[in-house]
Amino acid sequence: MKVYDSVNKTEVEVDGTQGLIDIMVSGRQVDVYLKGEKSDADGYLTWDVEHWSSIDKQRFIRCYSYKGRVLSESTGHNIYDLQNDFKPEEAEKIELS
């Protein structure tokens, strides 16, 4: 999949979801721009961009933005959670930052 690298101002070819996870583990943030808004089960949080980064090889953090505004909420995930929660294939576009 093609991903825009906003730091180096170039387009990069990445080997699917696992390639993006490897990029996160190496220290980069992956910004997933969704096709539409998402909300949590309680309707408390609504977002349209997910900012994923790695704490270490097994732990990840997801921060959120909505309509260009970075939200104060974040969620922690382990490597196994990514199978259910990290869905770059549903994105409108993906950037590395």
Side-chain angles (χ1 to χ4, degrees):
M1 83 175 57
K2 293 217 182 266
V3 176
Y4 182 71
D5 185 336
S6 62
V7 173
N8 297 316
K9 309 284 190 245
T10 185
E11 210 164 88
V12 180
E13 185 67 34
V14 177
D15 187 22
T17 302
Q18 186 57 51
L20 290 171
I21 292 170
D22 294 341
I23 288 171
M24 279 190 278
V25 169
S26 72
R28 300 290 301 272
Q29 177 176 295
V30 175
D31 301 321
V32 179
Y33 292 82
L34 305 173
K35 293 177 183 171
E37 298 175 353
K38 277 191 176 181
S39 292
D40 66 343
D42 299 324
Y44 170 75
L45 180 63
T46 301
W47 67 93
D48 56 7
V49 181
E50 298 177 349
H51 309 281
W52 288 88
S53 54
S54 173
I55 297 169
D56 58 32
K57 291 181 180 181
Q58 298 292 316
R59 297 182 301 155
F60 299 83
I61 188 168
R62 174 174 54 176
C63 300
Y64 305 91
S65 292
Y66 183 63
K67 294 186 178 178
R69 189 176 134 246
V70 177
L71 305 177
S72 61
E73 289 82 0
S74 64
T75 52
H77 304 267
N78 66 40
I79 190 73
Y80 307 106
D81 292 334
L82 295 186
Q83 294 175 353
N84 295 324
D85 298 325
F86 184 57
K87 307 240 186 241
E89 64 278 358
E90 296 176 0
E92 180 178 5
K93 71 176 182 173
I94 300 172
E95 290 186 0
L96 302 178
S97 54

